[in-house]
Amino acid sequence: MYRAGQVVWGALEEMRTMIRPGISTKELDEFAEGYTKEHGARPAFKGYRGYPGSVCTSINQEVVHGIPSAARKLREGDILSMDFGVELGGYFGDAALTVPVGRVTPEREKLLRVTRESLEQGIAKIRAGNRLGDVSAAVQQWVEKNGYSVVREFVGHGIGTKMHEDPQLPNYGSPGQGPKLQEGMVLAIEPMVNTGGPGVRVLDDEWTAVTSDGSDSAHFEHTVAVTKNGPWILTRPKEAAGPVW
Ligand code: MF3
Ligand code: CO
């Protein structure tokens, strides 16, 4: 799973360097697919329940599952979530980050920072013996303390030989509740955070989820293994330090 995770991380880091006004989300998608194949892996989202892309690209008020398109060009001031997963040798990795396009408003900068920090707060609770609700509550508390809301309709998940395995991992909950985390479990933890209310709706393309109130949304995700000594983030290099994205 670490090997799969490194392909996910490598593709996302490369895509991050491609971000500029004028690039289309389709160009990012094509890059991700090529990078994945060069590394002997398979894009996990493509064809999943009929999903047409390799990456999910969600801009501004789009929450998750935006479909890459040649007609959709990034503009200065946008925020772009890139969500990507691969399968390598039968194992999956899944990660996401949200990036600014050129200069963005301080409000958008804050949304990206708070959402990334909420992922860090959740990851910090991943340790054998803790409970799933400890992770969920840590994410929710950080988000709400900063005046934002967490999306309820989409959740994190177990991951392994399938992209989505039990248990579901909501971004809201109560400390001490839910199943105990055990060594060897692997979770994809993925806060989706709105600056307005928590509500979302899905567009007529049947994939793109947007905020009901038109507020901005951000999304960060890592695939994380539970160990005795705490979290092992599989979707970044072992030697990495500092912020998780
Ligand atoms: N990272 C998302 C997830 O964990 C994306 C998968 S949706 C797909 O569920 F359809 F595009 F695959
Ligand atoms: Co996921």
Side-chain angles (χ1 to χ4, degrees), residues 44-56 64-65 83-85 94-96 154-157 159 163-164 188 190 207 219 221:
F45 300 175
K46 195 159 199 168
Y48 179 84
R49 299 189 180 194
Y51 184 73
S54 291
V55 184
C56 297
V64 286
H65 303 165
D83 184 355
F84 185 53
D94 186 5
F154 302 100
V155 296
H157 47 94
I159 178 169
M163 182 163 65
H164 295 137
E190 49 181 315
W207 281 102
H219 178 209
E221 177 177 16

PDB file of all heavy atoms in Angstrom, residues 44-56 64-65 83-85 94-96 154-157 159 163-164 188 190 207 219 221, ligand 1:
ATOM      1  N   ALA A  44      -7.442   4.506 -10.185  1.00  0.00           N
ATOM      2  CA  ALA A  44      -8.502   3.737  -9.506  1.00  0.00           C
ATOM      3  C   ALA A  44      -9.897   4.303  -9.739  1.00  0.00           C
ATOM      4  O   ALA A  44     -10.881   3.571  -9.652  1.00  0.00           O
ATOM      5  CB  ALA A  44      -8.219   3.680  -8.003  1.00  0.00           C
ATOM      6  N   PHE A  45      -9.993   5.594 -10.029  1.00  0.00           N
ATOM      7  CA  PHE A  45     -11.328   6.193 -10.145  1.00  0.00           C
ATOM      8  C   PHE A  45     -11.950   5.919 -11.509  1.00  0.00           C
ATOM      9  O   PHE A  45     -13.173   5.842 -11.628  1.00  0.00           O
ATOM     10  CB  PHE A  45     -11.293   7.718  -9.935  1.00  0.00           C
ATOM     11  CG  PHE A  45     -10.782   8.179  -8.589  1.00  0.00           C
ATOM     12  CD1 PHE A  45     -10.600   9.534  -8.333  1.00  0.00           C
ATOM     13  CD2 PHE A  45     -10.480   7.274  -7.583  1.00  0.00           C
ATOM     14  CE1 PHE A  45     -10.131   9.981  -7.098  1.00  0.00           C
ATOM     15  CE2 PHE A  45      -9.997   7.706  -6.348  1.00  0.00           C
ATOM     16  CZ  PHE A  45      -9.822   9.066  -6.113  1.00  0.00           C
ATOM     17  N   LYS A  46     -11.077   5.813 -12.552  1.00  0.00           N
ATOM     18  CA  LYS A  46     -11.595   5.718 -13.920  1.00  0.00           C
ATOM     19  C   LYS A  46     -12.463   4.474 -14.076  1.00  0.00           C
ATOM     20  O   LYS A  46     -11.999   3.349 -13.866  1.00  0.00           O
ATOM     21  CB  LYS A  46     -10.448   5.686 -14.927  1.00  0.00           C
ATOM     22  CG  LYS A  46     -10.919   5.960 -16.326  1.00  0.00           C
ATOM     23  CD  LYS A  46      -9.797   6.433 -17.216  1.00  0.00           C
ATOM     24  CE  LYS A  46     -10.405   7.119 -18.421  1.00  0.00           C
ATOM     25  NZ  LYS A  46      -9.402   7.848 -19.189  1.00  0.00           N
ATOM     26  N   GLY A  47     -13.720   4.666 -14.433  1.00  0.00           N
ATOM     27  CA  GLY A  47     -14.629   3.539 -14.603  1.00  0.00           C
ATOM     28  C   GLY A  47     -15.300   3.108 -13.313  1.00  0.00           C
ATOM     29  O   GLY A  47     -16.215   2.281 -13.324  1.00  0.00           O
ATOM     30  N   TYR A  48     -14.886   3.683 -12.172  1.00  0.00           N
ATOM     31  CA  TYR A  48     -15.521   3.342 -10.896  1.00  0.00           C
ATOM     32  C   TYR A  48     -16.957   3.871 -10.896  1.00  0.00           C
ATOM     33  O   TYR A  48     -17.164   5.080 -10.991  1.00  0.00           O
ATOM     34  CB  TYR A  48     -14.716   3.927  -9.735  1.00  0.00           C
ATOM     35  CG  TYR A  48     -15.292   3.645  -8.371  1.00  0.00           C
ATOM     36  CD1 TYR A  48     -15.011   2.446  -7.721  1.00  0.00           C
ATOM     37  CD2 TYR A  48     -16.114   4.569  -7.741  1.00  0.00           C
ATOM     38  CE1 TYR A  48     -15.540   2.184  -6.479  1.00  0.00           C
ATOM     39  CE2 TYR A  48     -16.654   4.317  -6.491  1.00  0.00           C
ATOM     40  CZ  TYR A  48     -16.366   3.116  -5.875  1.00  0.00           C
ATOM     41  OH  TYR A  48     -16.884   2.852  -4.634  1.00  0.00           O
ATOM     42  N   ARG A  49     -17.920   2.979 -10.845  1.00  0.00           N
ATOM     43  CA  ARG A  49     -19.345   3.350 -10.975  1.00  0.00           C
ATOM     44  C   ARG A  49     -19.593   4.277 -12.160  1.00  0.00           C
ATOM     45  O   ARG A  49     -20.424   5.185 -12.097  1.00  0.00           O
ATOM     46  CB  ARG A  49     -19.849   4.028  -9.699  1.00  0.00           C
ATOM     47  CG  ARG A  49     -19.748   3.113  -8.491  1.00  0.00           C
ATOM     48  CD  ARG A  49     -20.450   3.724  -7.317  1.00  0.00           C
ATOM     49  NE  ARG A  49     -20.363   2.855  -6.144  1.00  0.00           N
ATOM     50  CZ  ARG A  49     -21.107   3.015  -5.067  1.00  0.00           C
ATOM     51  NH1 ARG A  49     -21.997   3.976  -5.012  1.00  0.00           N
ATOM     52  NH2 ARG A  49     -20.974   2.207  -4.049  1.00  0.00           N
ATOM     53  N   GLY A  50     -18.800   4.076 -13.217  1.00  0.00           N
ATOM     54  CA  GLY A  50     -18.987   4.867 -14.430  1.00  0.00           C
ATOM     55  C   GLY A  50     -18.310   6.224 -14.412  1.00  0.00           C
ATOM     56  O   GLY A  50     -18.497   7.025 -15.336  1.00  0.00           O
ATOM     57  N   TYR A  51     -17.482   6.510 -13.399  1.00  0.00           N
ATOM     58  CA  TYR A  51     -16.808   7.813 -13.348  1.00  0.00           C
ATOM     59  C   TYR A  51     -15.881   7.947 -14.555  1.00  0.00           C
ATOM     60  O   TYR A  51     -15.089   7.053 -14.843  1.00  0.00           O
ATOM     61  CB  TYR A  51     -16.017   7.969 -12.038  1.00  0.00           C
ATOM     62  CG  TYR A  51     -15.404   9.342 -11.927  1.00  0.00           C
ATOM     63  CD1 TYR A  51     -16.187  10.461 -11.661  1.00  0.00           C
ATOM     64  CD2 TYR A  51     -14.038   9.536 -12.126  1.00  0.00           C
ATOM     65  CE1 TYR A  51     -15.626  11.726 -11.593  1.00  0.00           C
ATOM     66  CE2 TYR A  51     -13.468  10.794 -12.054  1.00  0.00           C
ATOM     67  CZ  TYR A  51     -14.276  11.885 -11.788  1.00  0.00           C
ATOM     68  OH  TYR A  51     -13.730  13.144 -11.733  1.00  0.00           O
ATOM     69  N   PRO A  52     -15.971   9.077 -15.306  1.00  0.00           N
ATOM     70  CA  PRO A  52     -15.243   9.174 -16.569  1.00  0.00           C
ATOM     71  C   PRO A  52     -13.778   9.606 -16.471  1.00  0.00           C
ATOM     72  O   PRO A  52     -13.028   9.407 -17.424  1.00  0.00           O
ATOM     73  CB  PRO A  52     -16.043  10.233 -17.346  1.00  0.00           C
ATOM     74  CG  PRO A  52     -16.719  11.064 -16.311  1.00  0.00           C
ATOM     75  CD  PRO A  52     -16.923  10.181 -15.112  1.00  0.00           C
ATOM     76  N   GLY A  53     -13.339  10.194 -15.368  1.00  0.00           N
ATOM     77  CA  GLY A  53     -11.982  10.732 -15.284  1.00  0.00           C
ATOM     78  C   GLY A  53     -11.043   9.842 -14.483  1.00  0.00           C
ATOM     79  O   GLY A  53     -11.448   8.825 -13.928  1.00  0.00           O
ATOM     80  N   SER A  54      -9.753  10.256 -14.441  1.00  0.00           N
ATOM     81  CA  SER A  54      -8.783   9.594 -13.565  1.00  0.00           C
ATOM     82  C   SER A  54      -8.642  10.351 -12.252  1.00  0.00           C
ATOM     83  O   SER A  54      -8.283   9.780 -11.224  1.00  0.00           O
ATOM     84  CB  SER A  54      -7.409   9.532 -14.236  1.00  0.00           C
ATOM     85  OG  SER A  54      -7.449   8.651 -15.327  1.00  0.00           O
ATOM     86  N   VAL A  55      -8.893  11.664 -12.320  1.00  0.00           N
ATOM     87  CA  VAL A  55      -8.784  12.544 -11.156  1.00  0.00           C
ATOM     88  C   VAL A  55     -10.154  13.187 -10.943  1.00  0.00           C
ATOM     89  O   VAL A  55     -10.933  13.320 -11.888  1.00  0.00           O
ATOM     90  CB  VAL A  55      -7.761  13.676 -11.441  1.00  0.00           C
ATOM     91  CG1 VAL A  55      -7.546  14.542 -10.212  1.00  0.00           C
ATOM     92  CG2 VAL A  55      -6.453  13.112 -11.934  1.00  0.00           C
ATOM     93  N   CYS A  56     -10.455  13.597  -9.721  1.00  0.00           N
ATOM     94  CA  CYS A  56     -11.595  14.483  -9.490  1.00  0.00           C
ATOM     95  C   CYS A  56     -11.044  15.887  -9.300  1.00  0.00           C
ATOM     96  O   CYS A  56     -10.143  16.101  -8.471  1.00  0.00           O
ATOM     97  CB  CYS A  56     -12.377  14.070  -8.247  1.00  0.00           C
ATOM     98  SG  CYS A  56     -13.119  12.426  -8.352  1.00  0.00           S
ATOM     99  N   VAL A  64     -16.647  17.945  -4.109  1.00  0.00           N
ATOM    100  CA  VAL A  64     -15.890  16.770  -4.571  1.00  0.00           C
ATOM    101  C   VAL A  64     -16.467  16.276  -5.900  1.00  0.00           C
ATOM    102  O   VAL A  64     -17.555  16.700  -6.320  1.00  0.00           O
ATOM    103  CB  VAL A  64     -15.938  15.585  -3.558  1.00  0.00           C
ATOM    104  CG1 VAL A  64     -15.058  15.839  -2.349  1.00  0.00           C
ATOM    105  CG2 VAL A  64     -17.366  15.252  -3.151  1.00  0.00           C
ATOM    106  N   HIS A  65     -15.730  15.362  -6.533  1.00  0.00           N
ATOM    107  CA  HIS A  65     -16.185  14.602  -7.705  1.00  0.00           C
ATOM    108  C   HIS A  65     -16.404  15.452  -8.954  1.00  0.00           C
ATOM    109  O   HIS A  65     -17.151  15.033  -9.851  1.00  0.00           O
ATOM    110  CB  HIS A  65     -17.450  13.779  -7.393  1.00  0.00           C
ATOM    111  CG  HIS A  65     -17.268  12.825  -6.250  1.00  0.00           C
ATOM    112  ND1 HIS A  65     -18.305  12.225  -5.608  1.00  0.00           N
ATOM    113  CD2 HIS A  65     -16.151  12.380  -5.633  1.00  0.00           C
ATOM    114  CE1 HIS A  65     -17.847  11.457  -4.631  1.00  0.00           C
ATOM    115  NE2 HIS A  65     -16.532  11.536  -4.630  1.00  0.00           N
ATOM    116  N   ASP A  83      -8.295  15.232  -6.340  1.00  0.00           N
ATOM    117  CA  ASP A  83      -8.467  13.986  -5.588  1.00  0.00           C
ATOM    118  C   ASP A  83      -8.063  12.858  -6.526  1.00  0.00           C
ATOM    119  O   ASP A  83      -8.552  12.779  -7.660  1.00  0.00           O
ATOM    120  CB  ASP A  83      -9.946  13.867  -5.183  1.00  0.00           C
ATOM    121  CG  ASP A  83     -10.236  12.669  -4.308  1.00  0.00           C
ATOM    122  OD1 ASP A  83      -9.328  11.850  -4.065  1.00  0.00           O
ATOM    123  OD2 ASP A  83     -11.395  12.543  -3.872  1.00  0.00           O
ATOM    124  N   PHE A  84      -7.154  11.979  -6.061  1.00  0.00           N
ATOM    125  CA  PHE A  84      -6.583  10.987  -6.967  1.00  0.00           C
ATOM    126  C   PHE A  84      -6.322   9.678  -6.231  1.00  0.00           C
ATOM    127  O   PHE A  84      -5.905   9.680  -5.068  1.00  0.00           O
ATOM    128  CB  PHE A  84      -5.270  11.538  -7.553  1.00  0.00           C
ATOM    129  CG  PHE A  84      -4.667  10.660  -8.593  1.00  0.00           C
ATOM    130  CD1 PHE A  84      -5.409  10.242  -9.681  1.00  0.00           C
ATOM    131  CD2 PHE A  84      -3.354  10.238  -8.474  1.00  0.00           C
ATOM    132  CE1 PHE A  84      -4.858   9.412 -10.645  1.00  0.00           C
ATOM    133  CE2 PHE A  84      -2.788   9.412  -9.446  1.00  0.00           C
ATOM    134  CZ  PHE A  84      -3.541   9.000 -10.524  1.00  0.00           C
ATOM    135  N   GLY A  85      -6.565   8.562  -6.939  1.00  0.00           N
ATOM    136  CA  GLY A  85      -6.300   7.249  -6.358  1.00  0.00           C
ATOM    137  C   GLY A  85      -5.760   6.295  -7.405  1.00  0.00           C
ATOM    138  O   GLY A  85      -6.069   6.435  -8.590  1.00  0.00           O
ATOM    139  N   ASP A  94      -5.168   6.589  -1.943  1.00  0.00           N
ATOM    140  CA  ASP A  94      -6.180   7.606  -2.230  1.00  0.00           C
ATOM    141  C   ASP A  94      -5.785   8.866  -1.454  1.00  0.00           C
ATOM    142  O   ASP A  94      -5.543   8.789  -0.245  1.00  0.00           O
ATOM    143  CB  ASP A  94      -7.535   7.058  -1.751  1.00  0.00           C
ATOM    144  CG  ASP A  94      -8.737   7.935  -2.099  1.00  0.00           C
ATOM    145  OD1 ASP A  94      -8.578   8.950  -2.793  1.00  0.00           O
ATOM    146  OD2 ASP A  94      -9.849   7.561  -1.650  1.00  0.00           O
ATOM    147  N   ALA A  95      -5.708   9.996  -2.144  1.00  0.00           N
ATOM    148  CA  ALA A  95      -5.317  11.243  -1.467  1.00  0.00           C
ATOM    149  C   ALA A  95      -5.868  12.434  -2.229  1.00  0.00           C
ATOM    150  O   ALA A  95      -6.244  12.318  -3.404  1.00  0.00           O
ATOM    151  CB  ALA A  95      -3.795  11.344  -1.351  1.00  0.00           C
ATOM    152  N   ALA A  96      -5.905  13.586  -1.554  1.00  0.00           N
ATOM    153  CA  ALA A  96      -6.410  14.810  -2.181  1.00  0.00           C
ATOM    154  C   ALA A  96      -5.802  16.022  -1.504  1.00  0.00           C
ATOM    155  O   ALA A  96      -5.420  15.964  -0.336  1.00  0.00           O
ATOM    156  CB  ALA A  96      -7.944  14.868  -2.068  1.00  0.00           C
ATOM    157  N   PHE A 154     -20.642  12.884   2.463  1.00  0.00           N
ATOM    158  CA  PHE A 154     -19.496  12.096   2.013  1.00  0.00           C
ATOM    159  C   PHE A 154     -18.582  11.873   3.201  1.00  0.00           C
ATOM    160  O   PHE A 154     -18.466  12.743   4.058  1.00  0.00           O
ATOM    161  CB  PHE A 154     -18.747  12.817   0.885  1.00  0.00           C
ATOM    162  CG  PHE A 154     -19.610  13.113  -0.314  1.00  0.00           C
ATOM    163  CD1 PHE A 154     -20.150  14.378  -0.508  1.00  0.00           C
ATOM    164  CD2 PHE A 154     -19.903  12.119  -1.241  1.00  0.00           C
ATOM    165  CE1 PHE A 154     -20.957  14.657  -1.611  1.00  0.00           C
ATOM    166  CE2 PHE A 154     -20.706  12.387  -2.340  1.00  0.00           C
ATOM    167  CZ  PHE A 154     -21.239  13.653  -2.527  1.00  0.00           C
ATOM    168  N   VAL A 155     -17.950  10.707   3.218  1.00  0.00           N
ATOM    169  CA  VAL A 155     -17.155  10.308   4.385  1.00  0.00           C
ATOM    170  C   VAL A 155     -15.839   9.670   3.951  1.00  0.00           C
ATOM    171  O   VAL A 155     -15.703   9.244   2.800  1.00  0.00           O
ATOM    172  CB  VAL A 155     -17.958   9.309   5.264  1.00  0.00           C
ATOM    173  CG1 VAL A 155     -19.208   9.963   5.837  1.00  0.00           C
ATOM    174  CG2 VAL A 155     -18.313   8.045   4.487  1.00  0.00           C
ATOM    175  N   GLY A 156     -14.899   9.589   4.874  1.00  0.00           N
ATOM    176  CA  GLY A 156     -13.698   8.793   4.659  1.00  0.00           C
ATOM    177  C   GLY A 156     -14.044   7.316   4.782  1.00  0.00           C
ATOM    178  O   GLY A 156     -15.198   6.949   5.029  1.00  0.00           O
ATOM    179  N   HIS A 157     -13.019   6.464   4.640  1.00  0.00           N
ATOM    180  CA  HIS A 157     -13.309   5.035   4.497  1.00  0.00           C
ATOM    181  C   HIS A 157     -12.068   4.190   4.758  1.00  0.00           C
ATOM    182  O   HIS A 157     -10.943   4.652   4.576  1.00  0.00           O
ATOM    183  CB  HIS A 157     -13.811   4.772   3.069  1.00  0.00           C
ATOM    184  CG  HIS A 157     -12.957   5.422   2.001  1.00  0.00           C
ATOM    185  ND1 HIS A 157     -11.937   4.762   1.378  1.00  0.00           N
ATOM    186  CD2 HIS A 157     -12.948   6.685   1.486  1.00  0.00           C
ATOM    187  CE1 HIS A 157     -11.354   5.575   0.506  1.00  0.00           C
ATOM    188  NE2 HIS A 157     -11.942   6.774   0.559  1.00  0.00           N
ATOM    189  N   ILE A 159      -9.545   1.332   3.478  1.00  0.00           N
ATOM    190  CA  ILE A 159      -8.994   1.137   2.132  1.00  0.00           C
ATOM    191  C   ILE A 159      -7.955   0.026   2.197  1.00  0.00           C
ATOM    192  O   ILE A 159      -7.300  -0.132   3.234  1.00  0.00           O
ATOM    193  CB  ILE A 159      -8.406   2.472   1.592  1.00  0.00           C
ATOM    194  CG1 ILE A 159      -7.783   2.294   0.215  1.00  0.00           C
ATOM    195  CG2 ILE A 159      -7.401   3.093   2.571  1.00  0.00           C
ATOM    196  CD1 ILE A 159      -7.430   3.621  -0.473  1.00  0.00           C
ATOM    197  N   MET A 163     -10.917   0.093  -3.004  1.00  0.00           N
ATOM    198  CA  MET A 163     -10.771   1.521  -2.684  1.00  0.00           C
ATOM    199  C   MET A 163     -11.617   1.896  -1.467  1.00  0.00           C
ATOM    200  O   MET A 163     -11.203   2.693  -0.637  1.00  0.00           O
ATOM    201  CB  MET A 163     -11.157   2.378  -3.884  1.00  0.00           C
ATOM    202  CG  MET A 163     -10.982   3.866  -3.628  1.00  0.00           C
ATOM    203  SD  MET A 163     -10.959   4.841  -5.116  1.00  0.00           S
ATOM    204  CE  MET A 163     -12.617   4.608  -5.740  1.00  0.00           C
ATOM    205  N   HIS A 164     -12.815   1.333  -1.414  1.00  0.00           N
ATOM    206  CA  HIS A 164     -13.706   1.630  -0.288  1.00  0.00           C
ATOM    207  C   HIS A 164     -13.957   0.365   0.512  1.00  0.00           C
ATOM    208  O   HIS A 164     -14.547  -0.584   0.014  1.00  0.00           O
ATOM    209  CB  HIS A 164     -15.040   2.200  -0.791  1.00  0.00           C
ATOM    210  CG  HIS A 164     -14.890   3.531  -1.456  1.00  0.00           C
ATOM    211  ND1 HIS A 164     -15.525   3.869  -2.621  1.00  0.00           N
ATOM    212  CD2 HIS A 164     -14.166   4.617  -1.116  1.00  0.00           C
ATOM    213  CE1 HIS A 164     -15.191   5.105  -2.977  1.00  0.00           C
ATOM    214  NE2 HIS A 164     -14.373   5.574  -2.078  1.00  0.00           N
ATOM    215  N   ALA A 188      -8.662   5.951   4.819  1.00  0.00           N
ATOM    216  CA  ALA A 188      -8.572   7.180   4.028  1.00  0.00           C
ATOM    217  C   ALA A 188      -9.394   8.216   4.777  1.00  0.00           C
ATOM    218  O   ALA A 188     -10.604   8.072   4.937  1.00  0.00           O
ATOM    219  CB  ALA A 188      -9.108   6.970   2.626  1.00  0.00           C
ATOM    220  N   GLU A 190     -10.638  12.078   4.993  1.00  0.00           N
ATOM    221  CA  GLU A 190     -10.792  13.116   3.966  1.00  0.00           C
ATOM    222  C   GLU A 190     -11.831  14.178   4.327  1.00  0.00           C
ATOM    223  O   GLU A 190     -12.962  14.145   3.844  1.00  0.00           O
ATOM    224  CB  GLU A 190     -11.115  12.486   2.610  1.00  0.00           C
ATOM    225  CG  GLU A 190     -12.219  11.463   2.561  1.00  0.00           C
ATOM    226  CD  GLU A 190     -12.396  10.927   1.129  1.00  0.00           C
ATOM    227  OE1 GLU A 190     -12.407  11.732   0.181  1.00  0.00           O
ATOM    228  OE2 GLU A 190     -12.533   9.701   0.974  1.00  0.00           O
ATOM    229  N   TRP A 207     -22.337  13.694 -10.918  1.00  0.00           N
ATOM    230  CA  TRP A 207     -21.125  13.515 -10.124  1.00  0.00           C
ATOM    231  C   TRP A 207     -20.789  14.733  -9.273  1.00  0.00           C
ATOM    232  O   TRP A 207     -20.591  14.616  -8.073  1.00  0.00           O
ATOM    233  CB  TRP A 207     -19.927  13.181 -11.028  1.00  0.00           C
ATOM    234  CG  TRP A 207     -19.916  11.762 -11.437  1.00  0.00           C
ATOM    235  CD1 TRP A 207     -20.296  11.252 -12.653  1.00  0.00           C
ATOM    236  CD2 TRP A 207     -19.528  10.635 -10.635  1.00  0.00           C
ATOM    237  NE1 TRP A 207     -20.171   9.885 -12.649  1.00  0.00           N
ATOM    238  CE2 TRP A 207     -19.700   9.486 -11.422  1.00  0.00           C
ATOM    239  CE3 TRP A 207     -19.070  10.482  -9.322  1.00  0.00           C
ATOM    240  CZ2 TRP A 207     -19.412   8.207 -10.950  1.00  0.00           C
ATOM    241  CZ3 TRP A 207     -18.771   9.211  -8.846  1.00  0.00           C
ATOM    242  CH2 TRP A 207     -18.960   8.091  -9.659  1.00  0.00           C
ATOM    243  N   HIS A 219     -11.005  20.366   0.324  1.00  0.00           N
ATOM    244  CA  HIS A 219     -10.929  18.927   0.572  1.00  0.00           C
ATOM    245  C   HIS A 219      -9.461  18.516   0.645  1.00  0.00           C
ATOM    246  O   HIS A 219      -8.693  18.843  -0.265  1.00  0.00           O
ATOM    247  CB  HIS A 219     -11.624  18.222  -0.613  1.00  0.00           C
ATOM    248  CG  HIS A 219     -11.614  16.728  -0.575  1.00  0.00           C
ATOM    249  ND1 HIS A 219     -11.626  15.964  -1.721  1.00  0.00           N
ATOM    250  CD2 HIS A 219     -11.594  15.840   0.445  1.00  0.00           C
ATOM    251  CE1 HIS A 219     -11.639  14.685  -1.404  1.00  0.00           C
ATOM    252  NE2 HIS A 219     -11.620  14.577  -0.096  1.00  0.00           N
ATOM    253  N   GLU A 221      -7.011  14.928   1.790  1.00  0.00           N
ATOM    254  CA  GLU A 221      -7.125  13.492   2.106  1.00  0.00           C
ATOM    255  C   GLU A 221      -5.752  12.832   2.130  1.00  0.00           C
ATOM    256  O   GLU A 221      -4.877  13.177   1.330  1.00  0.00           O
ATOM    257  CB  GLU A 221      -7.985  12.801   1.028  1.00  0.00           C
ATOM    258  CG  GLU A 221      -8.127  11.281   1.194  1.00  0.00           C
ATOM    259  CD  GLU A 221      -9.050  10.643   0.156  1.00  0.00           C
ATOM    260  OE1 GLU A 221      -9.348  11.287  -0.873  1.00  0.00           O
ATOM    261  OE2 GLU A 221      -9.463   9.496   0.394  1.00  0.00           O
TER     262      GLU A 221
HETATM  263  N1  MF3 B   1     -11.390  10.014  -3.041  1.00  0.00           N
HETATM  264  C1  MF3 B   1     -12.762   9.758  -3.371  1.00  0.00           C
HETATM  265  C2  MF3 B   1     -13.244   8.673  -2.481  1.00  0.00           C
HETATM  266  O1  MF3 B   1     -12.579   8.329  -1.596  1.00  0.00           O
HETATM  267  C3  MF3 B   1     -12.975   9.667  -4.807  1.00  0.00           C
HETATM  268  C4  MF3 B   1     -13.619   8.485  -5.418  1.00  0.00           C
HETATM  269  S1  MF3 B   1     -14.956   8.879  -6.372  1.00  0.00           S
HETATM  270  C5  MF3 B   1     -14.702   8.262  -7.931  1.00  0.00           C
HETATM  271  O2  MF3 B   1     -14.317   8.168  -2.521  1.00  0.00           O
HETATM  272  F1  MF3 B   1     -15.787   7.871  -8.391  1.00  0.00           F
HETATM  273  F2  MF3 B   1     -14.178   9.199  -8.647  1.00  0.00           F
HETATM  274  F3  MF3 B   1     -13.910   7.254  -7.895  1.00  0.00           F
END
